[in-house]
């Protein structure tokens, strides 16, 4: 068993990044944040990587912040959570949303607190049938972070987002799929296999187009229709000049599988 709180493996153009503190349900410590930053940097700098999977070791995906790290001695100063969000969690969410390759989150077990919202930061999120999502913040006197207050209403609508965030009820993977929080729920034994199948499918697609699709979908939340149409137009103009577009059209006309050129 490795001592590292993040495991990294790369195979066939797919990076597998595993949160690895199973005895604490992969809750985050300072060193774990550092290791995860390093792993994401490895993905960014290895041009052979064309898709990434993020998952957890053991029976949890991630239980958010390690609360042992937040123990305050009697009379001691409270922790500065604004500081840790600013240094660790917010950059992590933004880094995942800006990875140069598509990110598949494979939620293997309970995802709570920051872990629940980190789980939603992938491009495609699948979960094991036994997994669950818990907005655990209210129970300890905090508000949803790691983008929870942004993701939940957008994915679920206000009524469900509000009740989940206020009550902190556990949402099982099957309901998460039915409610539109995640893409799919799969049998536990199939989770990693399914994640690999998805990552492999994404890896052979034209990556620039995938990343621009992600950007367009995000900008759509803030734009009105004319602004979004203009953004689509400009993106299409750029991609229309790309080698991948040329190859896609040629492959279609020649009735063969396309070979897209990389990142
Ligand atoms: O602090 C900042 O920088 C601000 C950022 C905040 C972001 C946040 O994430 S705040 C929210 C922090 N997370 C939580 O409040 C979740 C706490 N955990 C739980 O509510 C439950 O553990 C779960 C619902 C996730 C799972 O419940 P269950 O019954 O399946 O497992 P368990 O028995 O509670 O946990 C198993 C072990 O993991 C247990 O240790 P033990 O008793 O076997 O030695 C438990 O203490 C440990 N564990 C679980 N979550 C955490 C944790 N240890 C430290 N920190 C945790 N977050």
């Amino acid at each position: 068993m490795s001592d590292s709180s993040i495991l990294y493996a790369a195979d066939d153009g797919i990076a597998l990044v595993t949160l690895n503190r199973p005895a604490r349900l992969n809750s985050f410590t300072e060193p774990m944040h550092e290791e995860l930053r390093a792993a994401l940097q490895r993905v960014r700098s290895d041009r052979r990587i064309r898709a990434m999977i993020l998952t957890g070791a053991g029976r949890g995906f991630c239980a958010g912040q390690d609360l042992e790290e937040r123990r305050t001695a009697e009379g001691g100063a409270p922790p500065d959570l604004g500081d840790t969000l600013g240094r660790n969690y917010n950059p992590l969410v933004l880094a995942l949303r800006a990875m140069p390759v598509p990110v598949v989150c494979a939620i293997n077990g309970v995802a709570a607190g920051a872990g629940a919202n980190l789980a939603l930061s992938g491009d495609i999120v699948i979960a094991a049938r036994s997994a669950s999502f818990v907005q655990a913040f209210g129970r300890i006197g905090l508000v949803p972070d790691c983008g929870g207050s942004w993701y939940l209403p957008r994915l679920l609508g206000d009524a469900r987002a509000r009740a989940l965030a206020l009550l902190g009820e556990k949402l099982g993977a099957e309901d998460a799929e039915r409610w539109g929080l995640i893409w799919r729920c799969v049998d536990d034994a199939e989770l990693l296999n399914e994640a690999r199948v998805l990552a492999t499918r994404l890896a052979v697609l034209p990556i620039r187009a995938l990343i621009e699709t992600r950007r367009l979908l995000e900008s759509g939340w803030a734009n009105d229709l004319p602004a979004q149409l203009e953004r689509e137009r400009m993106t299409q103009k750029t991609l229309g000049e790309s080698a991948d577009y040329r190859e896609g059209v040629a492959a279609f006309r020649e009735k063969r599988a396309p070979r897209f050129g990389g990142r």
Side-chain angles (χ1 to χ4, degrees):
M1 192 61 160
S2 167
D3 283 344
S4 306
S5 53
I6 299 294
L7 305 179
Y8 184 92
D11 189 20
D12 263 354
I14 314 283
L16 176 65
V17 177
T18 306
L19 310 177
N20 187 42
R21 296 184 67 240
R24 289 279 169 268
L25 301 183
N26 305 319
S27 53
F28 272 98
T29 57
E30 282 281 338
M32 181 166 160
H33 275 291
E34 271 171 41
E35 286 186 47
L36 183 52
R37 274 194 287 275
L40 296 185
Q41 186 50 39
R42 271 178 90 169
V43 174
R44 274 189 218 99
S45 54
D46 185 343
R47 307 276 307 173
R48 292 165 302 181
I49 302 297
R50 294 179 56 94
M52 171 189 143
I53 300 170
L54 178 67
T55 193
R59 74 174 180 87
F61 172 70
C62 174
Q65 169 62 38
D66 184 319
L67 296 176
E68 291 298 317
E69 247 189 16
R70 291 289 172 268
R71 258 203 256 187
T72 1
E74 187 106 15
D80 181 347
L81 303 189
D83 172 63
T84 64
L85 286 181
R87 276 189 303 106
N88 292 329
Y89 290 100
N90 290 2
L92 171 58
V93 169
L94 295 176
L96 283 172
R97 302 293 279 198
M99 289 303 283
V101 296
V103 177
V104 175
C105 283
I107 312 307
N108 53 300
V110 64
N117 298 328
L118 188 65
L120 304 178
S121 301
D123 290 299
I124 298 184
V125 185
I126 61 172
R129 214 166 289 287
S130 67
S132 55
F133 299 82
V134 193
Q135 297 293 321
F137 307 91
R139 297 181 193 167
I140 56 167
L142 297 180
V143 295
D145 60 22
C146 273
S149 60
W150 194 86
Y151 294 132
L152 293 176
R154 283 171 168 78
L155 294 170
L156 299 178
D158 189 60
R160 283 172 162 166
R162 204 177 281 227
L164 272 187
L166 293 177
L167 298 172
E169 269 183 25
K170 203 176 250 197
L171 183 71
E174 287 181 355
D175 283 336
E177 178 189 316
R178 217 163 32 84
W179 287 16
L181 189 71
I182 62 170
W183 167 239
R184 236 167 234 168
C185 149
V186 301
D187 289 341
D188 287 21
E190 286 305 311
L191 180 73
L192 265 193
N193 191 30
E194 289 288 335
R196 275 203 175 278
V197 168
L198 274 174
T200 305
R201 279 177 60 189
L202 290 164
V204 295
L205 291 171
I207 285 197
R208 269 181 74 193
L210 300 185
I211 300 306
E212 290 302 337
T213 301
R214 174 205 284 159
R215 289 192 182 130
L216 268 178
L217 290 173
E218 280 189 4
S219 65
W221 292 113
N223 283 338
D224 59 16
L225 182 58
Q228 191 64 11
L229 285 171
E230 179 56 14
R231 199 165 164 163
E232 287 177 2
R233 187 180 79 81
M234 291 311 293
T235 309
Q236 215 69 303
K237 177 178 162 58
T238 309
L239 292 179
E241 294 163 4
S242 69
D244 278 350
Y245 171 65
R246 231 178 9 258
E247 166 63 7
V249 173
F252 174 79
R253 296 185 63 240
E254 292 159 23
K255 300 190 188 304
R256 60 170 172 83
R259 288 178 300 272
F260 294 115
R263 277 156 66 170

